[in-house]
Structure formats: structure tokens, C-alpha cells
Amino acid sequence: MDRHGGWFPQLFHTLRIRLIFSVALVHVVLMGLFTWEAVHRQSQELRQEMVNQGRSLASLMVVASTNALLAEDLASLAEVTRRVGEREDVSYGEIVDVRGYVMASTRDGRVGRSVGPVIKVSEQFPLVKTDRVLDLRQAVLIGDKPVGFVVLGLSTENLESALAATRNRGIQYTLLALVIGSVAAWLLSITVTRNLHALTLAAKRIGDGDLGARVEVRSQDEAGTLAHAFNSMAASLQRNAREIEQEHQKRTEAERLACVGEMAASIAHEIRNPLAALLNSVKLLGDQKLVKDDHAIVTRIVDTESKRLQRILDDFLTFSRLPAAQLQNGDLKQLVEETVELVRQDPRYSGRITFDCRYEPDNQCLFDPDLMRQVLLNLLLNAMQAMQGEGKLIVRLKRNGDRVNLSIVDNGGGIPEHIMSQISKPFFSGRKNGTGLGLSVVQRILAQHTSVLSITSREGSGTEACFDLDRENHG
Ligand SMILES: Nc1ncnc2c1ncn2[C@@H]1O[C@H](COP(=O)(O)OP(=O)(O)O)[C@@H](O)[C@H]1O
Ligand SMILES: [Mg+2]
């Protein structure tokens, strides 16, 4: 069902149907008026003509019957009515004396009857519509004195059929005009709507992103002008889109180069210190005079510095080759416990840090275990690093509707307000030894879990990092 409540109103909203309907209406109204006028005029003329004919026939009867009336010569009067009755268009003819007695009639059984005071007015021609007869009466006068009346009825059948013929012809012409008008309107609408249809299709294609869509300019009329305007609009759109695309490409290329440059600088910066330490150590190891204790120290340096190099490389590799997440249902609590334990065991950070971990039961949710371990590790390490070996780490895992929420709170140094907007950018680090990739890796992984990382922090009092995961697959 359409919003207008049926197929007809919807059909009527098409330009084609409206055009056809309007033209048809104009034709029907005009032809109807014309026919009515013609029938009316013809009817007036024919009636007048009939009345004239009737009058002259009645006058003839008056002349023919005057003497016979005076002489009360019934035979002659009968002859008059017989002759009159022979005419095809005469329905009846009667001669009545002054007292109202019928002296002669074309109708049987009327002679001798009194028709009473009916015939009082001499000149009256009422048209009796119901019996299709034009009734005429005329007085027979001697001087001013009436001696009788003639009554004449003329059949209006011919008149009626002539009028009916005119009316029928009018209806036929109206129908013909209706058909011709509708066809003409239809042809006109085809030309108009064909142009509109082509424009609609082209506009749709442009809407779908095909900016190369154009319409054929078929005429020099308004439709042609519109098509022309449409084409220039599409061309200008295409030009603009191309420029924007080129601009975008240039910018992304510049951004990419800047990113590569930043990455290279960051790698160089990160690698320089451990590399220098390694080179020095190698040199010292080659020195014969090195005592045994110093030898052990240098070997330890070689070990830590190569591990540091390893970590830097690992971070970069994780960042640049993040795999697509394989979501599966699992117990997040187990993974959180494992990762917290891993950090707690790490002598570099744990120091005098107390752990407060509370996990609500039923923590089944959707995640990629490997990637989620990376997320937890990055967030936990950031918290540990912020506390610098002393403080309290709170980890909370709880259900929140159809999602599971994880929050990691530390009471470390917090994040200064002015760097808050930058901490998630790749290569931004607020720490001396940071690669600045931890949080951007977290964000990218969470995005694959249709989740976002939220960080709230107050400088000097601590930081909370939290996110939540879907319990069921909604996609
Ligand atoms: N829990 C936190 N407490 C204080 N600062 C933090 C915390 N987490 C992140 N930051 C700040 O955000 C920066 C970016 O973090 P990250 O992307 O993990 O890179 P990195 O740890 O290598 O510096 C950190 O250098 C630090 O300044
Ligand atoms: Mg980090």
C-alpha cells in the first residue's frame, strides 16, 4: 500500500496520467458544451418551424371550414378533417363549434361530443411533451365573432428524432475528440517523460557514485536546456571529485611519507642507545685486560641491550603486521588472570605494587585471544610503568548488559592534560624509552572487536583505561 492509500491516487501522481486526464477533461467539457448548444439551437429552430407550419395548416382549416360551420354542413367539415388527417405529421385535427361540440374529427367517436369550455383562448400553441404532439388551436371568426375553433395536433416525432440524431452525433464527436485528445496528450507526455526518465536515471547513477553519467540532449526546447544544464552540473561535479581525489591522494601520500619518516626516526632513535651500548661492550670484550667480574657485567649489558633491541623490533612488527581478528567465544577472566600474573612476575615493574583484582563470574564474550592478550599487556604495562615500582593496580571485570566491561586503574603519575589528545597516535610517547605504539595497537585491535578504548586520567593521581566486549555475535 502506498502512502496515499491506493494504486489510483499513486497513478494519478504521474505526470503522464495527469496530462492525459487534463486534456481529456478539456475535450469532454468543450465538446459537451458545443453539443448541448447545437442541440438547443436546433431544437429552437425546428420547433419554431413546426409552429409556423402548424399555424398555416390551422389557418387553412379555418378558411376551409368557415362556411361549412355557418351552414353546419357536417359532411364538408368531415372532408376538411379527412384531408388534414391524411398528412403524415398530423396526429389529430378537429373542428369544434362555438358551444364546444365537436363537429368533425380525425379521431373516431369524437363527433357530437362536447369538449366544453376548453377552447376559450384562440391563439395558444402548447407543446404537450408527454404525448409528443404540438397542440394548436385557432378560432374561426366572422368579423370579431367566433363561430367555432379548429384544433390541430402535429406529431413531434420527426423533431425528436432529428434532435436525437444531433445529440448522438455530438456524443460521437465528443468521444472521438476524447480519443484523439488522449492520444495526443499521451504522445506529448511520452516526449516529456522520456526526457525526465533519462534525467532521473542519470541522477540516480550520479547518486550511486558514477559521476560519468550524462543525458542525451535530444531537443532545443526546455527539456533540452535542462539536459544541457544537468550535463554541465555532472561534468563540474566530476571535475571537483577528481580534484578532491587527487588532493586526497597527495595528502595521504604526504602523510604516509611523514609517517615513514617518523617511524624511521623513531626506530633510529630507539635503536641508537642499545646499539651504542652493544658496540662498546663488544669492544670491551675484545680487550684482554678485562677482569672476570667486569667480563660478567659487560656480558649482562650485552644481554639486556639485545633484549631491548628485540622488544623494539617486536613492537614495530606488531604494529605494522597486525593480523585480522578471529573472534571466538571465550572466558575473558582467564586471559586477564594470566596476563596480570605475567606482569606481576616481571621484576622490572612489580616492585612494591599491590594488586587488587575482582572478576565477576560469567565473563564469556567474543574476542581474539592472541590480540586481546596484546591489548591487556599494553594497558597493564602502561599502568605499571606509570606507577614506577610503587602503587596499587586495580583490575575489574564485570558484566554490563550484553557486554563485558574491563577496567584497569593505576595510581601512577597520570597523563598531563596537554598530551591527552595525542597519546593514542602512533609513535607518540610520553616516556623516555617508549615506542609510542602501545595504545595505537590497542585501539586498532579494539576496533576489530567493535569496541573503543576510553582513558580518563588526572595528573598526579592516576589513570583508568577501560573498554567492553560483546557477549554475543550480533553481526
Ligand atoms: N596508565 C598510564 N599512566 C600514565 N600515562 C600513560 C598511561 N598509559 C599511557 N600513558 C601515556 O601515553 C603514552 C603513549 O602510550 P603508548 O602508546 O603505550 O606508548 P609507550 O608506552 O611506548 O610510550 C605514554 O608514553 C604515556 O605518556
Ligand atoms: Mg605503552
Side-chain angles (χ1 to χ4, degrees):
M1 208 66 166
D2 65 286
R3 72 193 160 96
H4 301 290
W7 60 268
F8 182 73
Q10 194 188 35
L11 193 67
F12 197 72
H13 277 95
T14 63
L15 190 62
R16 184 170 295 187
I17 295 298
R18 275 195 217 171
L19 200 63
I20 293 175
F21 190 79
S22 313
V23 173
L25 192 72
V26 168
H27 276 77
V28 168
V29 169
L30 284 183
M31 285 307 291
L33 277 175
F34 180 74
T35 307
W36 180 83
E37 219 279 318
V39 170
H40 184 71
R41 195 161 20 89
Q42 195 187 23
S43 143
Q44 299 278 15
E45 281 170 12
L46 288 179
R47 278 174 197 189
Q48 193 52 52
E49 195 185 310
M50 234 181 125
V51 168
N52 291 344
Q53 267 181 21
R55 275 184 187 158
S56 45
L57 191 59
S59 299
L60 262 175
M61 279 175 78
V62 167
V63 171
S65 55
T66 309
N67 287 335
L69 257 176
L70 284 174
E72 295 196 354
D73 181 355
L74 291 182
S76 303
L77 290 175
E79 178 61 17
V80 172
T81 51
R82 191 190 61 77
R83 297 264 290 276
V84 167
E86 276 174 356
R87 285 183 58 139
E88 231 176 67
D89 56 343
V90 171
S91 292
Y92 53 82
E94 258 166 21
I95 301 167
V96 185
D97 75 1
V98 78
R99 292 157 305 161
Y101 285 100
V102 177
M103 308 293 282
S105 174
T106 53
R107 290 182 281 193
D108 292 338
R110 296 267 298 174
V111 178
R113 270 212 215 158
S114 167
V115 286
V118 183
I119 311 163
K120 266 187 180 161
V121 189
S122 55
E123 296 264 339
Q124 200 181 48
F125 311 99
L127 182 64
V128 184
K129 275 191 178 166
T130 43
D131 53 1
R132 297 182 179 279
V133 167
L134 171 66
D135 189 73
L136 294 139
R137 287 137 202 239
Q138 201 168 330
V140 182
L141 299 168
I142 299 290
D144 283 343
K145 212 170 151 251
V147 291
F149 299 90
V150 287
V151 178
L152 185 64
L154 288 185
S155 163
T156 60
E157 244 158 52
N158 287 346
L159 178 135
E160 294 294 337
S161 58
L163 288 182
T166 310
R167 206 176 297 125
N168 287 344
R169 244 192 335 272
I171 290 172
Q172 282 166 9
Y173 282 134
T174 306
L175 287 177
L176 193 66
L178 185 69
V179 171
I180 293 175
S182 301
V183 169
W186 183 64
L187 290 175
L188 183 68
S189 73
I190 283 181
T191 13
V192 174
T193 53
R194 192 179 46 197
N195 290 327
L196 284 182
H197 186 64
L199 274 171
T200 312
L201 285 183
K204 233 184 204 148
R205 277 176 58 196
I206 287 185
D208 290 343
D210 175 11
L211 296 182
R214 298 285 182 277
V215 284
E216 198 185 325
V217 182
R218 291 203 188 92
S219 55
Q220 297 302 315
D221 57 7
E222 288 87 340
T225 315
L226 181 61
H228 210 77
F230 180 89
N231 285 347
S232 16
M233 181 202 71
S236 137
L237 265 180
Q238 198 174 25
R239 235 183 354 262
N240 285 351
R242 215 175 284 142
E243 277 165 20
I244 289 172
E245 175 64 18
Q246 282 167 357
E247 189 60 32
H248 179 71
Q249 271 175 3
K250 261 191 234 160
R251 204 172 312 146
T252 39
E253 182 61 17
E255 269 168 20
R256 206 179 62 81
L257 285 177
C259 196
V260 169
E262 251 179 78
M263 198 188 315
S266 187
I267 293 175
H269 181 79
E270 288 289 302
I271 284 178
R272 189 182 293 133
N273 290 344
L275 206 58
L278 278 176
L279 286 174
N280 284 336
S281 306
V282 170
K283 217 185 274 169
L284 280 173
L285 285 176
D287 190 342
Q288 300 300 322
K289 285 179 254 161
L290 202 68
V291 292
K292 201 177 172 202
D293 281 355
D294 289 344
H295 194 277
I297 293 171
V298 173
T299 319
R300 208 163 48 240
I301 291 174
V302 169
D303 183 54
T304 39
E305 292 308 313
S306 11
K307 276 188 184 138
R308 193 166 151 200
L309 275 180
Q310 180 78 48
R311 180 180 57 78
I312 294 167
L313 282 179
D314 283 350
D315 271 7
F316 279 113
L317 281 180
T318 314
F319 178 76
S320 56
R321 293 209 212 124
L322 208 58
Q326 308 288 325
L327 301 190
Q328 48 183 270
N329 221 332
D331 186 1
L332 190 60
K333 178 188 164 198
Q334 201 184 328
L335 190 66
V336 173
E337 269 177 340
E338 275 173 30
T339 325
V340 167
E341 207 46 45
L342 202 72
V343 179
R344 199 206 292 262
Q345 301 302 330
D346 195 323
R348 284 175 300 172
Y349 314 112
S350 44
R352 287 198 305 271
I353 289 176
T354 51
F355 284 78
D356 171 8
C357 306
R358 275 182 229 163
Y359 312 125
E360 274 183 13
D362 189 12
N363 301 294
Q364 290 288 324
C365 55
L366 285 172
F367 58 90
D368 178 316
D370 289 334
L371 292 178
M372 198 43 66
R373 180 174 289 112
Q374 186 73 53
V375 166
L376 297 173
L377 210 57
N378 288 4
L379 294 179
L380 287 171
L381 285 183
N382 277 354
M384 302 292 275
Q385 284 157 353
M387 291 186 289
Q388 296 179 337
E390 189 165 4
K392 184 177 178 188
L393 183 83
I394 307 172
V395 184
R396 292 275 180 279
L397 188 60
K398 53 180 185 246
R399 275 175 53 193
N400 180 12
D402 52 1
R403 288 174 85 86
V404 170
N405 178 274
L406 179 81
S407 135
I408 298 170
V409 183
D410 66 70
N411 61 352
I415 305 169
E417 183 75 35
H418 68 278
I419 65 162
M420 198 63 188
S421 59
Q422 313 204 56
I423 54 169
S424 295
K425 288 185 184 162
F427 305 113
F428 177 84
S429 177
R431 294 187 295 112
K432 210 162 151 254
N433 283 327
T435 53
L437 293 172
L439 289 183
S440 66
V441 165
V442 169
Q443 277 197 326
R444 281 171 59 192
I445 294 176
L446 286 183
Q448 295 197 55
H449 289 72
T450 56
S451 179
V452 281
L453 176 68
S454 137
I455 291 189
T456 43
S457 178
R458 191 122 57 86
E459 198 176 355
S461 40
T463 306
E464 174 179 12
C466 70
F467 64 88
D468 43 24
L469 295 175
D470 265 332
R471 286 167 58 75
E472 274 165 56
N473 196 350
H474 298 299

